[in-house]
Amino acid sequence: MVTIGVTGHRFLTQLDEVTAGVDRALHRIEAAFNAPPTAVISLLAQGADRLVVQRVLVQWPEAELIIPLPLPEADYVTDFPSPESREALLELLSRADRVITLPPSPTRDEAYAAAGRYVLDHCDVLLAVWDGKPAQGTAGTAEIVAEARRRGLALAWVHAGNRRPGTQCPVSLGKEQGKVTVERFPTTHPLRGRHHGPRRLR
């Protein structure tokens, strides 16, 4: 049984390259853990969160979809003002096997940080769609990745540009866009418990 946690940027460009990278990361997870994903945990934020969930469910329709909501649903949907984004969120919520509304937090940022920790607490491997740069805000992708590394979690990192700071304009990483790096994955090394270091896949 393999549970994938998801984190990543909301604003993506070169979607074909990023989608191909997500697919490579998913199949690398399947090969490394010798099992298909049985569950995916995602906040269903616009962009990477939804993309990974969609790719998991296309390839493994029987996988369980688990959604930790940082806020009550009626409040959470207000963070997605466009009708298209809100409709996509509600559609995936209706598909979910489990929706967990987390306990209240003092601030919105802290609520999102708590949801990120929930993902890390309950996954076997984190799939991050990330530009490799520091977070642009609280509870950003970089902070989730840093915490996953501190915990020693397996990590599949799909390289993808984020938005230009202070704007909603996505930027590309050029030739790096869509490449995959894995860290702390299980290996077939004869000495149990040994792991290879970060390795890039094309």
Side-chain angles (χ1 to χ4, degrees):
M1 297 178 67
V2 182
T3 298
I4 296 174
V6 186
T7 189
H9 302 312
R10 292 192 179 199
F11 301 95
L12 300 174
T13 188
Q14 290 183 270
L15 281 176
D16 288 347
E17 286 84 349
V18 176
T19 301
V22 168
D23 286 346
R24 285 194 297 273
L26 290 173
H27 288 290
R28 181 67 181 89
I29 291 168
E30 181 183 31
F33 287 83
N34 197 30
T38 52
V40 57
I41 308 177
S42 169
L43 277 64
L44 296 186
Q46 185 174 314
D49 275 34
R50 295 181 193 174
L51 173 61
V52 173
V53 166
Q54 288 161 354
R55 298 311 298 165
V56 169
L57 296 180
V58 163
Q59 298 174 64
W60 299 283
E62 69 284 359
E64 186 178 13
L65 174 56
I66 303 167
I67 305 168
L69 292 182
L71 305 161
E73 182 177 326
D75 190 10
Y76 187 54
V77 297
T78 66
D79 281 351
F80 307 94
S82 82
E84 296 81 9
S85 181
R86 188 174 300 186
E87 182 179 347
L89 170 66
L90 293 173
E91 181 180 348
L92 285 168
L93 278 169
S94 70
R95 159 67 177 81
D97 297 280
R98 280 190 279 166
V99 178
I100 300 106
T101 302
L102 299 179
S105 293
T107 68
R108 222 171 183 82
D109 283 346
E110 289 176 85
Y112 275 92
R117 289 192 296 273
Y118 182 95
V119 171
L120 296 177
D121 288 343
H122 294 86
C123 72
D124 299 302
V125 55
L126 182 70
L127 199 162
V129 181
W130 179 43
D131 62 0
K133 299 178 182 178
Q136 293 187 23
T138 303
T141 301
E143 293 182 357
I144 300 298
V145 170
E147 178 62 22
R149 286 171 167 165
R150 280 193 292 271
R151 295 183 183 207
L153 278 174
L155 171 69
W157 165 19
V158 179
H159 297 241
N162 193 6
R163 61 185 173 89
R164 198 180 308 281
T167 75
Q168 295 187 359
C169 179
V171 296
S172 170
L173 295 181
K175 293 181 180 179
E176 294 290 303
Q177 193 86 352
K179 288 186 178 179
V180 178
T181 299
V182 299
E183 301 176 17
R184 290 172 297 281
F185 265 36
T187 73
T188 56
H189 195 286
L191 297 179
R192 286 185 178 273
R194 293 290 183 89
H195 297 79
H196 294 308
R199 176 180 161 208
R200 177 161 297 170
L201 308 175
R202 293 181 181 271

